[in-house]
């Protein structure tokens, strides 16, 4: 999912955005109150003046005709300062976009007052503090993007009361603590990314609890314990990224049920086993397999040749006695196999050199792998 883009030039024009009277009435009321804050005045100006006026920068041209009573799109500006609590009184807004700005401070405590919110995009906005517990009151929310900020603290249990949530991106923050078992409440979730935080503890996913899950990324955290066999019950899964943690034990046999799996990465954990687990050979759609940096031993089964869609295999730092088995036999089957990193391939290295010399492959530009033709 790529939601980034280049900054657009402001559009010259005099059109006023249409706002529902209830929203305008609320703004006017705040303006005349003696206790009104300067943030409300700025918000009123932003919403009521002709576009492209905004906070210290231009709005995207594509958004200038799309501000209505239920859309608040302020992304890709130079908006700075704190996000005012008063913004939560815009309870008709369904889509709130403020990503790629230069905010300071916290997410408003009363965020839960924005009862109509369906999509909340606050990523890459330099936000700090914690996720307010009131987020659990956003019962209509389907998309939540809070990634690439400096948010911290634990993930509130209330977050996992959002039973309509389909996409949840919390990656690249400073979250700590464990992933609560209430994550199993997200029965409609399709994408769940909490990678690149400081989360820890064991995982407690329940068999069959997340039937719609397609992509999950937990990498670059400090999770430990066994990989839950329940992952094998999430049959729509096509991404399972568990690298850079402290998982132990073996790869669960139930993984073989994930017939839609495309990208599977267990790299840099403390897993053990004999070669590539046999369950992986049943993942016929697999194109990316990462297993390096673990404690696997033994040889690589010729069954790897059955994974005809495999393009990338990472075995670097692997302890297998034969890191690659018969390249000349595998390469005709894997016409799409691009790169097999061999940084730590102490075993079989002379064989690889010989195969390259015989024209069965060539070293890539980094010298760390081979491309098979």
């Amino acid at each position: 999912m790529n939601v980034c883009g280049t900054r657009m030039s402001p559009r010259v024009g005099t059109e006023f955005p249409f706002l529902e009277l209830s929203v305008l009435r609320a703004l006017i009321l705040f303006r005349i109150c003696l206790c009104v804050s300067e943030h409300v005045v700025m918000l009123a100006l932003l919403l009521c003046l002709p576009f492209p006026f905004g906070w210290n920068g231009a709005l995207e041209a594509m958004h200038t005709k799309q501000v209505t009573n239920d859309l608040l799109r302020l992304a890709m500006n130079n908006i700075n300062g704190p996000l005012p609590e008063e913004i939560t009184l815009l309870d008709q807004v369904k889509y709130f976009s403020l990503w790629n700005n230069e905010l300071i401070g916290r997410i408003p405590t009363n965020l839960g007052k924005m009862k109509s919110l369906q999509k909340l995009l606050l990523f890459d906005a330099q936000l700090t503090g914690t996720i307010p517990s009131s987020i659990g009151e956003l019962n209509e929310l389907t998309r939540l993007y809070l990634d690439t900020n400096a948010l911290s603290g634990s993930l509130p249990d209330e977050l996992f009361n959002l039973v309509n949530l389909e996409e949840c991106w919390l990656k690249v923050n400073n979250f700590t603590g464990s992933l609560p078992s209430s994550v199993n409440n997200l029965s409609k979730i399709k994408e769940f990314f909490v990678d690149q935080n400081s989360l820890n503890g064991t995982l407690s996913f329940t068999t069959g609890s997340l039937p719609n899950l397609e992509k999950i990324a937990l990498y670059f955290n400090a999770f430990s314990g066994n990989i839950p066999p329940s992952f094998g019950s999430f049959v729509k899964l096509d991404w399972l990224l568990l690298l850079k943690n402290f998982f132990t034990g073996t790869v669960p046999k139930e993984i073989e049920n994930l017939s839609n799996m495309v990208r599977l990465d267990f790299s840099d954990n403390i897993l053990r086993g004999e070669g590539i687990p046999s369950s992986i050979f049943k993942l016929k759609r697999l194109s990316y397999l990462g297993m390096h940096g673990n404690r696997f031993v033994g040889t690589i089964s010729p069954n790897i040749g059955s994974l005809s869609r495999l393009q990338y295999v990472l075995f670097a730092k692997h302890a297998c006695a034969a890191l690659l088995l018969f390249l000349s036999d595998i390469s005709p089957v894997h016409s799409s196999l691009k790169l097999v990193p061999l940084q730590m391939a102490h075993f079989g290295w002379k064989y690889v050199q010989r195969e390259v010399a015989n024209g069965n492959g060539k070293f890539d530009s980094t010298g760390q792998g081979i491309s098979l033709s």
Side-chain angles (χ1 to χ4, degrees):
M1 176 177 180
N2 183 4
V3 291
C4 297
T6 56
R7 194 179 298 277
M8 308 293 291
S9 300
R11 178 178 66 87
V12 178
T14 57
E15 297 180 1
F16 286 77
F18 175 77
L19 294 174
E20 190 177 20
L21 289 179
S22 61
V23 178
L24 284 175
R25 190 179 301 120
L27 292 171
I28 294 171
L29 178 62
F30 294 144
R31 180 67 185 89
I32 63 176
C33 286
L34 293 177
C35 60
V36 68
S37 73
E38 62 180 336
H39 299 304
V40 176
V41 177
M42 291 300 295
L43 182 61
L45 286 173
L46 179 66
L47 292 176
C48 298
L49 285 176
F51 276 79
F53 299 107
W55 278 311
N56 300 326
L59 291 171
E60 298 174 81
M62 64 176 287
H63 289 168
T64 58
K65 293 184 178 181
Q66 299 180 21
V67 178
T68 68
N69 61 306
D70 59 0
L71 290 173
L72 182 54
R73 301 190 180 199
L74 309 176
M76 296 179 64
N77 282 284
N78 292 315
I79 300 173
N80 52 46
L83 193 58
E85 282 284 341
E86 292 88 346
I87 204 169
T88 64
L89 295 171
L90 301 177
D91 58 1
Q92 301 299 311
V93 172
K94 296 180 180 178
Y95 181 107
F96 182 17
S97 171
L98 196 57
W99 52 271
N100 198 358
N101 278 290
E102 299 175 2
L103 302 173
I104 59 173
R106 309 166 69 91
I107 298 172
T109 305
N110 294 320
L111 181 66
K113 290 184 177 180
M114 303 181 76
K115 300 290 188 182
S116 300
L117 266 183
Q118 296 176 3
K119 298 180 181 181
L120 178 60
L121 287 69
L122 299 181
F123 61 92
D124 193 17
Q126 302 188 36
L127 292 167
T128 58
T130 60
I131 298 178
S133 59
S134 66
I135 197 170
E137 301 172 25
L138 302 178
N139 297 323
E140 303 300 318
L141 200 65
T142 61
R143 306 287 191 276
L144 176 63
Y145 296 101
L146 300 179
D147 53 290
T148 320
N149 283 294
L151 298 171
S152 59
S154 59
L155 301 178
D157 275 328
E158 292 82 0
L159 171 66
F160 303 104
N161 292 335
L162 302 176
V163 294
N164 289 310
L165 199 60
E166 296 178 4
E167 296 177 9
C168 181
W169 286 40
L170 306 176
K171 59 188 290 184
V172 194
N173 279 289
N174 301 314
F175 294 120
T176 56
S178 62
L179 189 61
S181 60
S182 51
V183 68
N184 293 291
N185 296 336
L186 303 179
S187 59
K188 293 185 179 180
I189 199 73
K190 295 179 179 179
E191 297 182 3
F192 186 66
F193 291 177
V194 294
D195 50 281
Q196 301 170 78
N197 281 286
S198 298
L199 298 170
N200 56 45
T202 58
L203 301 180
S204 54
F205 290 96
T206 302
T207 299
S209 61
L210 308 179
N212 296 294
L213 186 64
E214 297 174 0
K215 292 177 172 60
I216 183 168
L218 305 178
Y219 61 91
F220 276 103
N221 280 289
F223 293 117
S224 59
N226 294 328
I227 297 174
S230 54
F231 277 139
S233 69
F234 306 150
V235 293
K236 292 186 178 181
L237 251 173
D238 55 26
W239 278 27
L240 178 57
L241 307 181
L242 304 179
L243 60 153
K244 299 286 185 180
N245 281 287
F246 298 98
F247 291 115
T248 55
T250 59
V251 175
K253 181 180 183 299
E254 290 79 2
I255 293 294
E256 67 184 24
N257 299 324
L258 303 178
S259 59
N260 293 309
M261 185 59 61
V262 173
R263 189 179 180 94
L264 180 63
D265 202 335
F266 304 119
S267 302
D268 291 311
N269 282 284
I270 319 173
L271 300 171
R272 54 183 172 78
E274 291 283 335
I276 299 178
S278 60
S279 56
I280 291 179
F281 299 135
K282 297 186 178 182
L283 308 180
K284 302 306 181 183
R285 296 185 181 182
L286 196 64
S287 67
Y288 184 104
L289 174 61
M291 295 178 58
H292 70 269
N294 283 285
R295 297 179 180 176
F296 296 105
V297 297
T299 59
I300 306 264
S301 168
N303 288 332
I304 193 172
S306 67
L307 301 178
S308 60
R309 298 190 183 184
L310 201 58
Q311 295 182 355
Y312 296 93
V313 187
L314 281 76
F315 292 132
K317 300 188 212 176
H318 223 280
C320 285
L323 195 53
L324 289 176
L325 181 64
F326 306 135
L327 282 178
S328 58
D329 292 336
I330 295 174
S331 57
V333 176
H334 289 77
S335 59
S336 62
L337 193 60
K338 303 300 182 184
L339 181 64
V340 182
L342 298 166
Q343 297 96 318
M344 301 294 290
H346 301 298
F347 303 103
W349 182 242
K350 289 183 179 180
Y351 178 79
V352 173
Q353 288 177 314
R354 185 173 71 249
E355 289 300 305
V356 171
N358 291 337
N360 292 327
K362 62 181 180 179
F363 291 104
D364 71 356
S365 59
T366 67
Q368 297 178 339
I370 62 168
S371 295
L372 301 179
S373 54

